Amino acid sequence: MGVDKQIIDNLINNLGVEKSAVQISQDAVDVILQKYIKKWQDNLAQKNHIASGNLFQSLASDKGQYGFRIETKEGVTRLYLSLPDYYEYTDVGRGKSTKKDDYVVYNKLQGLQGWISQKGLKLNTLVTQKRKLKDGTIKEYTYKISKAQANKNAAFAIARKIHTKGFKGTKWFSSEIDNFKSDISKAIFDTTGQIVYLTIEKIKQDTTQK
């Protein structure tokens, strides 16, 4: 059970209890977490980064591989935030690729562990092609391709665009991170006297594709 700053100060003054021995007030921490989760989710919506909702939901996850967790050991508190690894691209962007890393970009985009699958993009499995017949008429053919092939086609198109133009990030996350670090550090230090370290973990999302 968390305790507030006044109780802690009384314990320290009257009983000589070390701040580091006092449990973190979850209420104080939760208020700040919820404040910044809302800020980041609002930014995602405003910057049109919703797509599948994976990134949006991962911020507020309280179980599974994403979300916040707190570990305290030897007077040091570590706060971990786990996000899908593609969050960094949406936040800071990506420069033009070179001939050497063109295939690197493609490989990061395609496949079960690639950005396209992680982002949960809906891919078109119906392909329409126009062919010119011997009599000069144009006929359209529509056929279905596998999700794996649709994934490869999308990866190729996106990689080609990145190769020539790159793209800018929207700073939806990093624009708030300094204020978040300051607020969460103050809340925990005022309660326990513990130093706080923030670690952002980039986790590849488990996906399946048929």
Side-chain angles (χ1 to χ4, degrees):
M1 180 177 177
V3 294
D4 62 26
K5 186 175 184 299
Q6 184 176 357
I7 295 175
I8 292 169
D9 289 342
N10 288 337
L11 286 170
I12 292 170
N13 293 334
N14 298 328
L15 302 176
V17 176
E18 293 291 337
K19 274 191 174 183
S20 59
V22 181
Q23 184 179 347
I24 294 172
S25 171
Q26 290 299 126
D27 289 341
V29 172
D30 284 346
V31 167
I32 294 171
L33 292 183
Q34 292 304 318
K35 172 185 175 181
Y36 282 92
I37 285 170
K38 185 178 186 307
K39 280 178 177 285
W40 284 321
Q41 288 182 330
D42 287 347
N43 288 347
L44 283 171
Q46 293 169 8
K47 304 297 183 180
N48 196 28
H49 289 314
I50 298 299
S52 67
N54 290 337
L55 187 54
F56 186 93
Q57 294 171 13
S58 70
L59 285 163
S61 176
D62 59 358
K63 56 186 175 180
Q65 63 181 338
Y66 299 124
F68 289 95
R69 75 178 191 277
I70 297 176
E71 296 178 359
T72 301
K73 185 177 181 181
E74 297 178 353
V76 175
T77 297
R78 296 188 183 277
L79 176 65
Y80 295 89
L81 170 58
S82 300
L83 295 171
D85 65 350
Y86 66 82
Y87 94 89
E88 196 168 24
Y89 289 132
T90 61
D91 184 53
V92 301
R94 175 69 160 75
K96 295 180 183 179
S97 61
T98 65
K99 289 183 179 180
K100 291 182 178 180
D101 66 10
D102 194 23
Y103 282 103
V104 173
V105 174
Y106 171 78
N107 289 333
K108 286 184 177 181
L109 291 168
Q110 64 90 32
L112 295 177
Q113 298 298 323
W115 178 84
I116 291 172
S117 292
Q118 290 190 50
K119 197 167 177 62
L121 297 183
K122 293 182 178 180
L123 302 176
N124 184 15
T125 56
L126 292 178
V127 176
T128 299
Q129 289 186 338
K130 293 182 179 180
R131 294 181 182 176
K132 187 175 183 180
L133 304 181
K134 291 182 178 180
D135 62 4
T137 59
I138 304 297
K139 187 174 182 179
E140 285 191 354
Y141 294 88
T142 300
Y143 58 95
K144 189 171 183 178
I145 61 176
S146 66
K147 290 183 178 180
Q149 185 60 51
N151 180 286
K152 290 180 180 179
N153 291 351
F156 178 79
I158 295 172
R160 183 170 55 184
K161 183 175 181 180
I162 294 173
H163 175 64
T164 57
K165 296 182 179 179
F167 62 89
K168 293 182 179 180
T170 59
K171 308 296 184 185
W172 68 269
F173 181 77
S174 56
S175 62
E176 304 287 351
I177 195 64
D178 286 343
N179 289 334
F180 171 72
K181 287 179 179 179
S182 176
D183 287 354
I184 201 74
S185 295
K186 185 177 187 303
I188 294 176
F189 186 82
D190 284 352
T191 303
T192 67
Q194 294 170 2
I195 298 173
V196 183
Y197 295 94
L198 173 65
T199 298
I200 299 171
E201 301 175 314
K202 295 183 288 185
I203 299 178
K204 284 192 173 183
Q205 183 182 14
D206 293 330
T207 57
T208 58
Q209 184 172 314
K210 299 179 180 179

